[in-house]
Amino acid sequence: MLKRLSIKDFAVVSATELEFGPGLTVVSGETGAGKSLIVDALGFLSGLRADSGMVRHGAQRAELDAEFTLDDSPAALGWLREQEFDDGAACQLRRTLRADGGSRAWINGRPATLSQLGALAALLVEIHGQHEHQALLSRGSQLALLDAYGRHEAELAAVAQAARAWSALLREHERLNAAGDVSDRIDFLGHQLGELEREALEPDSIAELVVAHRRQAHGAELVEACDAALERLGGDSDALPAAVQQLRALLGRMRAHEARLGDVDALLEGAAIQLDEAAVLLDRIRADLDIDPARMQAHDARLSRLHELSRKHRVPVEDLASHRDALAAELEMLATSARRLEGLGAEITGAAAAWRTAAAKLGKARARAATALGKATTALVGELGMGGGRFEIALEPIAADAPDAQGAERAEFLVTANAGQPPRPLRKVASGGELSRISLAIEVAALGLDAVQTMVFDEVDSGIGGNVAGIVGRKLRDLGSRRQVLCVTHLPQVAAQGHAHYRVSKAERAGMTQSAVRLLDDAGRQEELARMLGGIEVSSEARAAARRLLSEAEGSPVA
């Protein structure tokens, strides 16, 4: 519930602070005094885009501050905790509007974005502007109001989710279909992949082939070199091992005269051992050398095939394996796409059926809500001085061959002001007064269904008067027994129904027009109602009528 509203340097208001309680609070004032500025201030605290024109002339910035109690607003308290703006049970919205067009916002003293400010305000206050009935002429708004009245959030979410799933499958089908017939490409890739897979293309395998080919190509030279080396490493007197042993014997006789010759002998001993090991290994290599013309021919043939594949596929021999893998991946993708395209038809059919099922459930709920809202609004239309008037909601089906997140029908509000006349679309009703009353009846029938505790009306009673105005006032007062209601009005019949009454007045000070807001006591209320009834010159008859209006309203205390 709105507890306090502070306004400074906003439009023609220099500074004012208002306190609010439960029930119906009315705001009145002479034309041009700025009685709607309270609603405007709440609008900017609800996240409206900054307007530097609302900063009072000569001031650098306007300051707006609202304090709410959260006793009956668990959703708002939960939001504050979730967004880490909570401060016990406190809820303060603050915003500044600068003359240069900038603005800043705070929630419980912490900087906030306009989006956050708007999200929180939507859980605290509901504003109905003086031109809101114009929004009811939009068929989109009509459908949204019907869904809000019927509390169709779950059904709408199911339809939207089914529509997204159906749309995603349709887009996938369109994308795959756009590729055209890929059978030729699949055949081509299959042929190319087949000839590549017939060869061992891994880099290690190719490296082994190159080594084996080189060994066969130089086989005779290798045999000759190994034989010559083995001869030098043999056991005769000219062989290297024998020469090393002779050196060791020569130097061994001199070791007594030079101790360091022992180190030389150790090295020669090691060399002799390594020469022996080299001879063993060389002998093994020589035994492995097998000059085989047939094997050489096989190696030549395989290398030729590899080079032919390299030329044909335009990649180096060492990249043939990765090229093969790329072709295999493309082939798998195309084959999978082809299979996917074949299976998409059944999935699309299933998704369409799921959407139609969800849409049908939503449609049934809408039909029930349309009947209930139609009856409730028709009853209110009669109470608002349109006896014989009737309100209906027509649900018109749309083509169900494409996904639609809003369901399978659209709503059209139909109304007739006179008995015996067929209902016509609300958007085609010519009379402004009738439109105001019908719109107000729809709003009253649909109000109070959510958890928002504060409702603000900005001259929604425009275009009506007399007994109808009294009925509207009583409806707003009755609504005030369930919610906190703030109403800006120019009608004394509505103002008399308020549990509290503020008056906005204007005066010229230092050459500038300024507005002031004052909470009226009983005498002040009587005088204000008399002014609203009689104009500038307040007569005794107007005062008597004002007393009667106040007396009649006393029978509706705050619940």
Side-chain angles (χ1 to χ4, degrees):
M1 183 179 73
L2 178 62
K3 182 179 180 181
R4 179 185 58 80
L5 176 64
S6 175
I7 302 174
K8 181 179 179 182
D9 292 330
F10 183 69
V12 292
V13 177
S14 175
T16 190
E17 184 168 309
L18 311 176
E19 293 187 354
F20 300 92
L24 171 63
T25 299
V26 295
V27 180
S28 64
E30 58 189 280
T31 301
K35 52 184 178 290
S36 291
L37 291 177
I38 296 174
V39 181
D40 293 336
L42 288 173
F44 283 110
L45 284 169
S46 297
L48 290 180
R49 177 179 292 183
D51 182 358
S52 60
M54 299 303 293
V55 180
R56 189 170 68 89
H57 180 68
Q60 292 184 343
R61 67 177 181 271
E63 298 183 16
L64 308 171
D65 194 312
E67 182 181 345
F68 291 82
T69 60
L70 300 177
D71 298 338
D72 298 317
S73 301
L77 183 58
W79 186 94
L80 287 169
R81 289 170 177 165
E82 180 183 339
Q83 300 293 321
E84 299 183 350
F85 282 111
D86 56 309
D87 186 11
C91 182
Q92 181 188 28
L93 309 184
R94 180 169 174 255
R95 189 174 180 189
T96 60
L97 308 175
R98 296 200 306 269
D100 61 5
S103 77
R104 296 183 65 191
W106 295 263
I107 296 176
N108 282 339
R110 302 180 187 123
T113 65
L114 288 187
S115 176
Q116 290 172 322
L117 197 67
L120 176 58
L123 301 174
L124 296 169
V125 61
E126 191 173 281
I127 300 176
H128 299 265
Q130 56 181 303
H131 301 298
E132 183 165 311
H133 60 267
Q134 297 296 329
L136 289 177
L137 301 182
S138 161
R139 299 190 66 181
S141 297
Q142 292 174 0
L143 187 64
L145 188 147
L146 176 63
D147 286 329
Y149 177 82
R151 299 179 180 273
H152 299 150
E153 294 86 354
E155 291 87 348
L156 276 170
V159 169
Q161 182 177 355
R164 287 193 296 270
W166 187 7
S167 295
L169 291 173
L170 289 175
R171 287 194 300 271
E172 185 180 3
H173 186 275
E174 183 180 357
R175 176 179 60 80
L176 293 176
N177 224 23
D181 186 4
V182 295
S183 58
D184 290 344
R185 178 65 177 171
I186 289 176
D187 291 342
F188 172 74
L189 290 174
H191 172 73
Q192 286 205 319
L193 191 59
E195 63 183 12
L196 287 170
E197 289 178 338
R198 284 192 290 271
E199 298 290 341
L201 302 178
E202 300 306 324
D204 290 346
S205 176
I206 293 177
E208 290 177 4
L209 173 63
V210 170
V211 170
H213 181 269
R214 184 178 296 115
R215 184 184 297 116
Q216 286 291 327
H218 298 277
E221 300 172 53
L222 285 170
V223 169
E224 182 179 351
C226 288
D227 287 344
L230 284 171
E231 185 178 348
R232 297 294 307 275
L233 292 172
D236 57 27
S237 59
D238 293 331
L240 289 175
V244 170
Q245 293 302 328
Q246 291 174 2
L247 287 174
R248 290 188 65 196
L250 174 64
L251 295 175
R253 292 192 293 271
M254 299 292 109
R255 285 174 59 183
H257 310 300
E258 175 56 66
R260 287 178 295 177
L261 290 177
D263 296 335
V264 175
D265 182 68
L267 290 173
L268 289 173
E269 182 181 14
I273 294 172
Q274 289 185 334
L275 286 172
D276 290 341
E277 291 176 350
V280 172
L281 178 59
L282 186 59
D283 187 61
R284 189 181 304 128
I285 292 173
R286 171 64 183 82
D288 291 340
L289 291 176
D290 181 16
I291 303 176
D292 185 348
R295 186 180 300 174
M296 178 67 181
Q297 187 176 4
H299 291 337
D300 278 336
R302 186 180 169 201
L303 281 174
S304 297
R305 291 196 301 272
L306 290 177
H307 287 294
E308 177 63 21
L309 288 174
S310 172
R311 181 193 62 77
K312 183 176 181 179
H313 291 270
R314 298 182 180 180
V315 294
V317 171
E318 59 270 20
D319 292 341
L320 282 173
S322 59
H323 178 63
R324 175 202 61 201
D325 294 342
L327 292 182
E330 183 184 356
L331 180 60
E332 175 62 22
M333 184 271 294
L334 290 178
T336 301
S337 297
R339 292 192 298 270
R340 177 65 178 154
L341 193 58
E342 291 177 2
L344 266 179
E347 288 192 35
I348 290 173
T349 300
W355 177 84
R356 293 188 181 98
T357 299
K361 184 177 180 181
L362 174 60
K364 290 179 180 178
R366 281 172 170 168
R368 292 191 296 268
T371 300
L373 181 56
K375 290 179 178 178
T377 305
T378 295
L380 288 166
V381 164
E383 294 180 36
L384 293 175
M386 294 174 62
R390 189 169 80 255
F391 175 80
E392 299 175 359
I393 300 177
L395 294 175
E396 302 174 357
I398 62 172
D401 55 355
D404 191 307
Q406 291 186 303
E409 59 276 314
R410 295 295 180 265
E412 178 79 82
F413 285 6
L414 306 175
V415 67
T416 177
N418 304 295
Q421 296 293 324
R424 300 168 55 213
L426 180 65
R427 52 194 167 88
K428 295 182 179 179
V429 174
S431 168
E434 290 176 348
L435 179 58
S436 295
R437 279 179 280 177
I438 294 166
S439 299
L440 183 59
I442 296 171
E443 289 179 355
V444 171
L447 284 175
L449 298 174
D450 53 23
V452 176
Q453 293 298 307
T454 301
M455 296 179 176
V456 181
F457 296 88
D458 184 11
E459 295 194 24
V460 293
D461 51 11
S462 62
I464 61 176
N467 292 333
V468 175
I471 295 171
V472 170
R474 288 193 292 274
K475 289 293 180 186
L476 291 172
R477 185 180 178 96
D478 178 64
L479 185 61
S481 68
R482 292 173 284 140
R483 297 285 190 273
Q484 181 189 46
V485 179
L486 173 61
C487 179
V488 177
T489 182
H490 65 284
L491 296 177
Q493 297 92 331
V494 174
Q497 295 292 331
H499 300 102
H501 191 158
Y502 279 99
R503 182 178 189 274
V504 182
S505 59
K506 65 178 180 179
E508 186 175 320
R509 297 185 181 90
M512 295 181 61
T513 299
Q514 294 189 20
S515 291
V517 185
R518 182 168 64 94
L519 180 64
L520 300 178
D521 56 17
D522 291 344
R525 290 193 69 185
Q526 180 178 310
E527 195 68 17
E528 173 65 2
L529 291 179
R531 181 198 66 78
M532 297 172 74
L533 286 164
I536 298 176
E537 297 294 332
V538 179
S539 64
S540 58
E541 291 83 359
R543 290 190 176 93
R547 284 194 296 272
R548 283 195 302 273
L549 287 175
L550 289 170
S551 178
E552 292 171 357
E554 288 302 317
S556 303
V558 179

